[in-house]
Amino acid sequence: MNHSEFQKLKKIPEIGTEMYDMMVKLYPICRSITGDGVRKTLDIISEQVPLEKHEIPTGTEVFDWIVPKEWNIKDAYVKKSNGEKIIDFQKSNLHVLNYSVPVHKTVSLSELKDHLFTLPDQPTLIPYRTSYYYENWGFCITHNQFLQLEEDEYKVVIDSTLEDGSLSYGEYFIKGESKDEVLLTCYTCHPSMCNDNLSGVVLLAFLANHLKNLSLQYSYRFLFIPETIGSIVWLYRNEQNVAKIKHGLVATCVGDPGISTYKKSRQGNAEIDQTVIEVLKKSGDDYKITNFEPLGSDERQFCSPGFNLPVGSLRRTKPPNFPEYHTSADNTEFVQATYLADSFSKYFKIILKLEENFGNFYSKNNEEEPLEIDSKNDQVFLSLNPKCEPKLDKTGIYRKIGGERDNDSLTILWILSYADGKHSLRDISLRSGIDFKQIKQVAKLLQTKKLLKRIL
Ligand code: ZN
């Protein structure tokens, strides 16, 4: 493939409009990490490229995780005693705590409040919240509505099922001249949200569609998977083949008005990192480069110390730094065709560059300097679960409601991501900006939970 292939492309703005239309079609579907919403989404993607679909049964063990029960939902609402429906899943699927167990009962205002999620700082927006691995039920509403609720007997109905089933994901493979692969991945698990989730899905569907008829050096593997559990499932099932992955990108948040932001792979100076930076430099547009951090999307799993694959993530505004993030405002007005088109063009140019440099790139010197530390004031640990993130909530030291953050959880992620025997606690403190004392305390806790072993 060469530059003329890029010239032959349909006009980029037209591709942006087509991507936008596909996003609008996917928007109303209530997705989750499992269930019919994901299958419907994969069917729509298959109109662009014929996906190979996989169904992984509930209960399948994948590293430290277990494929959860399958969740489906038909309807959900809250009614006042006079019959007035005040919360209605049919109006927005964000109203239901994703993965809510079925409920059919009458509750007081105070019991109802225990199951309501709001955003006090953004009182007109509905938050997106999940409870995948901890059985719970709940509703998400605007804070303004919350403030108006009165004493009453509320009828609460969640017509959902949480049963043995399977986790669905889609894969599309384009065979190039070489067995070396470029991995392009996005997630298909968020309900009605555009930038965080759907923008990446439509970008990769269109990219796959445009690459499939070209003659390529690399082979290309596209993944449409539920975030976190999906990449863990995929890595578990494909562990023997991950060495073929020479470059990778996680596509998410590629449709907002912000400038392009590239999050480097954990390796930091891999060919993909240099290639993306070069393309962004040449674009003439503003951009930002950030170092790897163990927050974000599936790069957390692909770059976990046991894999450490050269996978970065090219986004526009870094999530969660846009106020629409994980709210009802991440909608079809927030994402625009022109931004999708611009992101598509950048991704395409990155592939072009990788193809151009195929076989010419310098080989990386993998020899690591032996780690020297001040043993009185520093410590070095090894993660005992280095392949993907360990399932932290089963240790009782991690948050239970998806979408909320706290300092300890953040510290845990930083430590586990760099507990590879090559980074000391002081290194981790420097990288993360987290106070050394806090790092040391949490490392000790992780050691008692048998997640870490001290080696120095
Ligand atoms: Zn998200």
Side-chain angles (χ1 to χ4, degrees):
M1 186 171 68
N2 53 39
H3 273 287
S4 67
E5 304 281 10
F6 190 70
Q7 311 300 339
K8 270 190 270 167
L9 274 184
K10 220 191 286 184
K11 291 221 167 54
I12 297 284
E14 275 172 41
I15 298 173
T17 307
E18 287 172 19
M19 286 163 74
Y20 184 86
D21 291 345
M22 181 179 175
M23 182 187 80
V24 169
K25 193 168 169 184
L26 290 167
Y27 180 67
I29 300 171
C30 183
R31 277 165 290 270
S32 184
I33 52 172
T34 61
D36 290 333
V38 183
R39 294 190 187 98
K40 229 187 260 175
T41 301
L42 297 179
D43 286 345
I44 293 175
I45 300 166
S46 293
E47 294 167 10
Q48 286 293 320
V49 282
L51 295 183
E52 186 185 328
K53 293 173 191 163
H54 302 269
E55 296 282 345
I56 313 303
T58 299
T60 306
E61 289 184 32
V62 287
F63 298 118
D64 201 28
W65 298 59
I66 294 172
V67 173
K69 287 180 182 170
E70 180 179 322
W71 185 70
N72 284 291
I73 182 159
K74 282 201 196 96
D75 198 10
Y77 57 83
V78 175
K79 267 184 187 172
K80 283 171 49 170
S81 55
N82 67 9
E84 187 195 342
K85 219 181 243 189
I86 55 159
I87 306 172
D88 186 357
F89 170 79
Q90 304 301 340
K91 288 191 178 151
S92 168
N93 56 38
L94 298 184
H95 275 314
V96 170
L97 175 72
N98 203 285
Y99 250 69
S100 280
V101 295
V103 181
H104 204 287
K105 62 175 175 178
T106 303
V107 299
S108 66
L109 177 61
S110 89
E111 190 182 345
L112 178 63
K113 278 187 169 174
D114 288 341
H115 293 270
L116 292 179
F117 299 86
T118 71
L119 294 166
D121 296 336
Q122 293 171 293
T124 61
L125 303 181
I126 308 166
Y128 159 55
R129 291 287 181 268
T130 63
S131 190
Y132 299 140
Y133 301 100
Y134 170 68
E135 289 197 4
N136 193 1
W137 63 268
F139 287 89
C140 302
I141 58 170
T142 69
H143 198 65
N144 284 346
Q145 181 177 16
F146 178 84
L147 296 175
Q148 283 166 10
L149 294 175
E150 294 163 352
E151 289 299 337
D152 200 351
E153 295 295 306
Y154 289 95
K155 188 177 172 195
V156 172
V157 172
I158 297 181
D159 184 7
S160 64
T161 53
L162 187 61
E163 293 165 346
D164 283 354
S166 58
L167 174 149
S168 324
Y169 71 89
E171 195 163 353
Y172 184 66
F173 183 69
I174 303 174
K175 199 171 170 307
E177 288 287 308
S178 160
K179 283 191 175 127
D180 289 351
E181 291 184 13
V182 179
L183 181 75
L184 293 153
T185 142
C186 65
Y187 46 96
T188 49
C189 53
H190 288 36
S192 290
M193 262 175 303
C194 286
N195 197 38
D196 180 14
N197 197 155
L198 288 179
S199 65
V201 171
V202 299
L203 187 141
L204 290 196
F206 274 78
L207 201 58
N209 188 305
H210 279 83
L211 291 184
K212 71 177 194 283
N213 298 320
L214 303 179
S215 67
L216 300 158
Q217 296 290 340
Y218 284 108
S219 294
Y220 289 79
R221 191 175 294 280
F222 291 82
L223 301 184
F224 298 88
I225 53 182
E227 199 175 22
T228 307
I229 185 71
S231 46
I232 294 168
V233 163
W234 188 86
L235 281 163
Y236 185 81
R237 301 183 80 218
N238 294 278
E239 203 181 342
Q240 306 311 317
N241 294 318
V242 293
K244 290 185 195 159
I245 298 170
K246 302 301 174 198
H247 323 287
L249 287 174
V250 176
T252 178
C253 301
V254 289
D256 66 272
I259 60 169
S260 293
T261 311
Y262 178 62
K263 173 183 175 182
K264 290 187 200 171
S265 72
R266 184 179 175 279
Q267 294 183 16
N269 198 26
E271 185 177 340
I272 186 68
D273 301 319
Q274 300 188 34
T275 306
V276 175
I277 293 169
E278 198 184 327
V279 167
L280 292 178
K281 260 186 200 160
K282 278 196 179 157
S283 72
D285 300 335
D286 287 343
Y287 64 90
K288 218 164 135 183
I289 309 293
T290 65
N291 285 328
F292 179 80
E293 54 175 5
L295 286 172
S297 182
D298 289 317
E299 65 276 12
R300 286 161 62 165
Q301 314 310 328
F302 295 116
C303 298
S304 57
F307 289 108
N308 200 24
L309 295 173
V311 175
S313 182
L314 177 59
R315 298 90 47 113
R316 298 183 77 85
T317 307
K318 172 190 162 182
N321 294 354
F322 49 95
E324 295 81 1
Y325 175 78
H326 280 193
T327 75
S328 49
D330 185 356
N331 57 24
T332 54
E333 276 164 43
F334 178 52
V335 169
Q336 290 298 318
T338 156
Y339 311 128
L340 290 170
D342 181 66
S343 297
F344 175 89
S345 149
K346 287 180 169 126
Y347 269 77
F348 202 92
K349 284 175 183 161
I350 291 162
I351 286 165
L352 206 63
K353 199 90 227 149
L354 289 173
E355 288 280 319
E356 255 177 40
N357 289 341
F358 181 83
N360 293 330
F361 213 77
Y362 72 90
S363 62
K364 224 179 97 205
N365 181 1
N366 278 322
E367 274 174 44
E368 303 269 354
E369 300 267 324
L371 185 69
E372 282 179 29
I373 62 158
D374 166 7
S375 54
K376 259 194 209 142
N377 296 306
D378 204 355
Q379 299 171 353
V380 180
F381 287 88
L382 256 191
S383 166
L384 296 174
N385 269 299
K387 290 179 179 170
C388 301
E389 287 172 0
K391 185 78 179 65
L392 288 167
D393 52 4
K394 67 185 185 191
T395 61
I397 52 173
Y398 200 71
R399 63 188 160 88
K400 284 189 173 137
I401 296 294
E404 289 174 352
R405 283 185 176 174
D406 62 78
N407 276 340
D408 279 355
S409 302
L410 193 69
T411 311
I412 291 170
L413 293 176
W414 272 103
I415 295 172
L416 291 176
S417 180
Y418 283 93
D420 55 1
K422 295 169 192 157
H423 297 86
S424 74
L425 294 189
R426 287 219 178 260
D427 289 339
I428 299 172
S429 167
L430 271 177
R431 265 175 196 274
S432 61
I434 298 170
D435 180 61
F436 177 68
K437 243 169 90 188
Q438 156 100 352
I439 297 264
K440 213 170 133 185
Q441 265 171 15
V442 174
K444 202 167 171 194
L445 175 69
L446 293 173
Q447 193 182 13
T448 60
K449 297 280 178 185
K450 307 227 177 330
L451 289 164
L452 289 183
K453 182 174 99 180
R454 187 166 169 193
I455 58 166
L456 265 179

